[in-house]
Amino acid sequence: MNKKQLFEQIRVKKSFLCVGLDPVLENLPEHLLDLEDPVFEFNKQLIDATQDLCVAYKPNTAFYESRGLKGWKSLEQTWAYIPKDIFTIADAKRGDIGNTSAMYADAFFKEEQSGLGFDAVTVAPYMGKDSVSPFLNYADKWVILLALTSNAGHSDFQLTESENGKLYEEVIRSSSGWADSEQLMYVVGATRGSEFANIRRLAPDHFLLVPGVGAQGGSLKDVCEFGLNDHCGLLVNSSRGIIYAGKGTDFAEKARAEALKLQQEMESILTEAGLL
Amino acid sequence: MNKKQLFEQIRVKKSFLCVGLDPVLENLPEHLLDLEDPVFEFNKQLIDATQDLCVAYKPNTAFYESRGLKGWKSLEQTWAYIPKDIFTIADAKRGDIGNTSAMYADAFFKEEQSGLGFDAVTVAPYMGKDSVSPFLNYADKWVILLALTSNAGHSDFQLTESENGKLYEEVIRSSSGWADSEQLMYVVGATRGSEFANIRRLAPDHFLLVPGVGAQGGSLKDVCEFGLNDHCGLLVNSSRGIIYAGKGTDFAEKARAEALKLQQEMESILTEAGLL
């Protein structure tokens, strides 16, 4: 999916919501546990219940890999079940030397080989340009590079000051020379609302993937005040707040209700900004 | 495997060789391609041929994930086939927020859940302490943190200077407060021979995993001159130089011959250093 198509989906759905599909077996509704693949069934019902309210789904690969082969199978089935007009993000935080990153690109983008054809993958910047470039060889596929994350450890290295500013600023500045905003997005944690103005200055045209709204404590309003641009430019993720809204047989309805709240909030933000 | 046991294996084998099991389907000997799982068969024969010459095997997960479910199955079978007295490294370069890194730790360490029980996993430092800590909750399991890598992109961020020195120095200095040398190693590229003295100053007791000898251009002698400590402290990886030494039905014999050359070179280095 390209940038124009993504913005078009945002206008159609009146939403820039990304739903994080991060299922933990122990937290699933009990009535699913006897099924052959409870994780896929959980995701399937969540997708059925929320697909008109969100523009993206983001499975975090760790939640699948932790169950080994069975988990990888659930991931494959989940990806295949997502309607093709919805943007799909493999939240995999990969990154390796060039020829190895090319393998990761195959893993997440090359459906005929790996069974997965995500639109985007999250990538860690530590190993530099050649760890990122191989992902860009796929047309209309995206790298979402870690810039400023929302976890406690973000301050260990991302805020380190050099003559190029903070490390996350240097990551944005350097990487914006490797690809343009048609193939590159950044991960920016929602708990850092006040840094958004700064990030928008460095990356005015890029989409930003914002985890951390909800369970991780960020505010949607703060994020939008600083992060919105003329093509929205934001994908705001919520995972636990939506997928665990209910624990009973009505878990999907409850998930829909939470997604709807966020979609409605987003609709009024988009309307106010004149983007609809 | 703990540090003492690892050094014991090094003394028994007279080797600190790590063999990188990074098979690409197109590069495998032709006679294997009709088998049900050519990748596992390739690895199996390599393990049979080299297990007395090396102390560690390091599959890079990208090479398996790129083939989807089938690849993950090859990885699982490969890990299970490696003798239990050999150190196993999942070269996965993972790292995420705390609760997600805990899932990655399960994926690579918790055999009863994921089917994989590696001794160590490589981790990217960008997200800081809480992205690393969950891996340390497993006794006798190791984090191998990216410090200074051997790829071209290493200079993009790893050498950035702040008041704490270069970023890779800051990574070593900070992280050595998160775990001691009983559970933490560092990845240090062999092509940076001259940086080894510096790294040894910062991490005198830690094992260093050194990729980049052979195909990536590093010299074993340079690495050892600066990197060796009183318990060896080095795992030197070779992948392509060994696994693709031959392309015919005798590929495993040829791989053995290459591994033997490195083992013999290592034996004389260890002898000269008084470590045997």
Side-chain angles (χ1 to χ4, degrees), chain A residues 33-51:
Chain A
L33 297 179
D34 291 335
L35 298 175
E36 197 194 324
D37 185 346
V39 166
F40 172 60
E41 189 58 38
F42 180 68
N43 287 345
K44 182 173 172 288
Q45 292 192 34
L46 288 172
I47 293 165
D48 288 342
T50 59
Q51 61 179 278

Side-chain angles (χ1 to χ4, degrees), chain A residues 61 104 126 129-130 147 153 156, chain B residues 61 104 126 129-130 147 153 156:
Chain A
T61 53
Y104 280 129
Y126 192 74
K129 182 177 176 179
D130 64 285
D156 289 327
Chain B
T61 54
Y104 280 128
Y126 193 73
K129 182 178 177 180
D130 64 286
D156 288 325

Side-chain angles (χ1 to χ4, degrees), chain A residues 17-131:
Chain A
L17 177 62
C18 174
V19 176
L21 296 172
D22 304 340
V24 178
L25 204 57
E26 299 84 68
N27 297 343
L28 299 192
E30 248 186 77
H31 70 286
L32 298 179
L33 297 179
D34 291 335
L35 298 175
E36 197 194 324
D37 185 346
V39 166
F40 172 60
E41 189 58 38
F42 180 68
N43 287 345
K44 182 173 172 288
Q45 292 192 34
L46 288 172
I47 293 165
D48 288 342
T50 59
Q51 61 179 278
D52 59 319
L53 304 174
C54 67
V55 293
Y57 287 109
K58 180 177 77 61
N60 187 310
T61 53
F63 290 74
Y64 300 85
E65 291 175 34
S66 65
R67 295 173 52 246
L69 257 181
K70 266 188 297 193
W72 202 267
K73 199 170 173 187
S74 304
L75 177 64
E76 207 180 279
Q77 286 194 276
T78 299
W79 174 79
Y81 190 75
I82 298 171
K84 291 297 159 274
D85 59 354
I86 300 188
F87 194 75
T88 51
I89 302 166
D91 193 0
K93 301 187 174 68
R94 299 299 199 262
D96 206 310
I97 62 171
N99 72 324
T100 308
S101 273
M103 298 274 164
Y104 280 129
D106 290 349
F108 295 109
F109 292 162
K110 201 175 187 174
E111 187 189 352
E112 66 278 21
Q113 181 179 316
S114 67
L116 296 174
F118 282 92
D119 292 298
V121 63
T122 57
V123 176
Y126 192 74
M127 293 181 72
K129 182 177 176 179
D130 64 285
S131 66

Side-chain angles (χ1 to χ4, degrees), chain B residues 148-150 188-194 196 210-214 217-220 222-223 236:
Chain B
L148 185 61
T149 59
S150 56
V188 181
T191 52
R192 318 261 88 80
S194 59
F196 261 90
V210 186
V213 164
S219 141
L220 181 60
D222 286 0
V223 165
V236 171

